[in-house]
Amino acid sequence: MEFFTAPPPRERKPEKREKRSPWIGPPEDFVGAAIPLDLALFHSETLAIVLTDALVFPEGVRLNVRMAARRSEEIDDETWWDRHERLFTFHGRHRSSLDEGIRLGVRFSDGSKATTVDGALDHTGDGPPPRPDGPVLHCRRSGSSSGSDDFLSAHWPLWLWPLPPPEPFEFAVEWPLFEAPLTFTEVDGAPIAAAAERAHPYWP
């Protein structure tokens, strides 16, 4: 007689997969078209923020922002480690306050704008947030961060919806905690719009 016997098989009910709304993030069944950008959003002796590249989809674009900070002799231990902590806790459920966190945004030629702090996707009801009235810019996941006693770095993947028009638009950054004032950088929307034609599904 066997001592160990397998339990009876569990009945598995098929799960219905809801299609992701385009303002929430890129379609999961598409291959995005990558384009380099390499735009310095802010640069000082101690801080650099760069818009490195984009992954373009038919209805939106993922913008990759990278940041690096180095410690100067004027920054004491308390200030440095406070910045270190804020960098690691900026995103997610316990996001830092507006005064402490980095602020990122875009502004189109018609005056419409979207920022990472405007709460465009805030929603308390069941199901996904309803279709926003205007453009949306948000960090889809927490990104990645690393740091030591004299250097910090971070990567933030941002989702911009809808796809920007094929004309220049502005990318804004501001981070008082790291002494970065409000700074605008022009981004050419034409290559982004053109790249959307190269995005394609995994399976035709």
Side-chain angles (χ1 to χ4, degrees):
M1 176 181 293
E2 294 183 0
F3 180 77
F4 295 101
T5 58
R10 291 185 299 174
E11 181 181 357
R12 293 182 178 272
K13 296 181 179 180
E15 295 182 7
K16 185 178 180 181
R17 191 175 186 84
E18 298 291 339
K19 186 177 180 181
R20 176 186 288 163
S21 300
W23 51 89
I24 299 297
E28 297 175 312
D29 58 348
F30 258 71
V31 180
I35 61 169
L37 294 174
D38 193 25
L39 294 173
L41 303 177
F42 179 79
H43 191 275
S44 70
E45 289 298 317
T46 56
L47 178 66
I49 304 174
V50 181
L51 181 59
T52 57
D53 58 281
L55 193 61
V56 189
F57 295 85
E59 296 189 65
V61 55
R62 191 183 79 183
L63 302 170
N64 291 309
V65 175
R66 294 189 179 273
M67 164 272 195
R70 61 183 180 180
R71 184 174 179 177
S72 65
E73 295 181 355
E74 294 77 19
I75 300 177
D76 58 33
D77 285 346
E78 182 178 355
T79 301
W80 177 255
W81 289 109
D82 179 62
R83 292 181 177 184
H84 184 281
E85 180 182 0
R86 299 303 178 190
L87 177 65
F88 276 80
T89 60
F90 172 69
H91 292 294
R93 189 178 299 276
H94 303 291
R95 186 173 60 183
S96 302
S97 71
L98 180 61
D99 291 336
E100 299 165 343
I102 188 171
R103 312 165 195 176
L104 303 169
V106 297
R107 182 167 62 189
F108 299 124
S109 60
D110 64 0
S112 62
K113 67 176 184 176
T115 76
T116 55
V117 298
D118 59 18
L121 292 182
D122 288 350
H123 178 56
T124 57
D126 296 331
R131 183 185 181 93
D133 294 330
V136 170
L137 181 72
H138 68 107
C139 190
R140 289 198 57 250
R141 55 186 178 84
S142 60
S144 59
S145 305
S146 62
S148 64
D149 59 359
D150 60 1
F151 184 81
L152 299 173
S153 65
H155 165 232
W156 299 304
L158 307 175
W159 178 245
L160 174 60
W161 174 90
L163 198 69
E167 58 188 32
F169 65 93
E170 294 177 305
F171 196 105
V173 60
E174 185 177 29
W175 204 352
L177 184 68
F178 278 79
E179 300 175 354
L182 179 61
T183 305
F184 291 92
T185 302
E186 185 176 281
V187 182
D188 187 359
I192 296 176
E197 299 295 327
R198 295 190 284 110
H200 59 86
Y202 285 102
W203 298 278

